[in-house]
Amino acid sequence: MCPYMIYGLTNSKGGVGKTTIAVHLAAWLAKKKRSVTFIDADPQNSASQWIRELGLPIRLELISEPEDIVQRVAKLAENADDVVIDGPAGLSSTTRAVMLRSDRVFLPCGPSILDLRAASKAVQLLREAQKARRGKPTGVLIPNKLQKRGRLSREMLGAAKKLGIDVLGGLSQRQSFADAAGQAKVVWQMGASALLASHEMQQLMKEMTRG
Ligand SMILES: Nc1ncnc2c1ncn2[C@@H]1O[C@H](COP(=O)(O)OP(=O)(O)O)[C@@H](O)[C@H]1O
Ligand SMILES: [Mg+2]
């Protein structure tokens, strides 16, 4: 696993899985005994309650003003192994700030071509950040709510290729992912009924933290 990583979850759209994946990533890193700071950068703060209720050793910060993100993230990263930032929906200055401070940006994206078109706007913003920072952050698309994991349509894969962005295997549409926040758990704490979801999510976590 990489030392000292700042992971940013962003996209132009809401409801694509940013919070679900960000919370699971923080919980997974904490399970690996990493010291983790979670930044809830979405003014709706939907991740904060979930993180608190998990009761895991994850430091929580609510920072949604873009200037504060730019100023404070580097300092917070000095005092943690990993920082996970849950971004808001949209192409706001907050999203831009998350991209300017992350090492790795993940763009969760729904399974349709319309979702991908929306994501392409976030990819443009990512390219601007990369230009400003001479390469950083890396950017990867996470297809979410798939009918079957890893089964992105050929059109979608072609369109992602055109965008020049890597694509992970992603997550399929599963009730356990939707139920997790309400149960104040992550899927690997939910027992036998969430076994497949747990397996998928942990596979995704490995891909997100690799190398
Ligand atoms: N793979 C999935 N299968 C089923 N429901 C999902 C999945 N991923 C996310 N959800 C649900 O979709 C909704 C939006 O997810 P969320 O993580 O809040 O997205 P965002 O942070 O991008 O707005 C939530 O109700 C969440 O539980
Ligand atoms: Mg969210």
Side-chain angles (χ1 to χ4, degrees):
M1 209 178 294
C2 294
Y4 314 116
M5 203 40 80
I6 305 175
Y7 300 91
L9 278 290
T10 65
N11 201 346
S12 25
K13 275 184 78 168
V16 290
K18 296 182 295 296
T19 296
T20 303
I21 295 169
V23 169
H24 279 84
L25 178 61
W28 195 78
L29 291 163
K31 186 157 81 102
K32 299 282 168 195
K33 305 277 181 252
R34 312 270 294 176
S35 92
V36 186
T37 294
F38 187 99
I39 300 180
D40 189 348
D42 185 347
Q44 289 184 20
N45 293 142
S46 50
S48 296
Q49 188 183 349
W50 192 358
I51 287 283
R52 282 194 202 101
E53 288 175 352
L54 281 176
L56 295 172
I58 298 170
R59 221 166 304 129
L60 174 66
E61 298 278 344
L62 279 63
I63 314 177
S64 57
E65 287 301 322
E67 307 79 49
D68 295 340
I69 290 172
V70 169
Q71 278 176 23
R72 293 188 53 203
V73 169
K75 189 81 190 158
L76 288 167
E78 278 176 22
N79 296 309
D81 292 330
D82 300 298
V83 175
V84 177
I85 313 177
D86 183 26
L91 302 171
S92 61
S93 344
T94 303
T95 298
R96 192 183 303 261
V98 173
M99 290 185 175
L100 285 173
R101 279 295 170 263
S102 299
D103 300 312
R104 291 182 176 179
V105 165
F106 292 96
L107 307 167
C109 173
S112 82
I113 205 81
L114 294 178
D115 295 310
L116 194 73
R117 277 185 200 144
S120 71
K121 300 199 176 117
V123 174
Q124 276 171 24
L125 207 63
L126 176 75
R127 298 290 177 236
E128 286 170 26
Q130 289 170 334
K131 212 165 160 190
R133 297 172 63 195
R134 308 215 173 131
K136 258 193 189 180
T138 58
V140 183
L141 207 70
I142 303 179
N144 190 14
K145 306 191 186 184
L146 294 163
Q147 288 311 312
K148 214 165 173 216
R149 183 177 195 268
R151 284 285 174 83
L152 208 56
S153 71
R154 209 176 298 157
E155 287 137 306
M156 284 282 280
L157 282 171
K161 203 168 174 191
K162 257 192 213 155
L163 274 177
I165 189 150
D166 287 336
V167 182
L168 298 184
L171 297 174
S172 49
Q173 169 88 37
R174 288 184 189 279
Q175 192 57 41
S176 305
F177 293 130
D179 290 343
Q183 294 187 18
K185 286 181 176 160
V186 282
V187 286
W188 50 85
Q189 300 170 328
M190 286 167 65
S193 66
L195 221 57
L196 291 172
S198 167
H199 181 75
E200 259 186 24
M201 186 61 93
Q202 297 197 65
Q203 186 60 36
L204 175 65
M205 300 296 105
K206 282 183 200 154
E207 290 174 17
M208 291 174 76
T209 57
R210 188 167 289 154

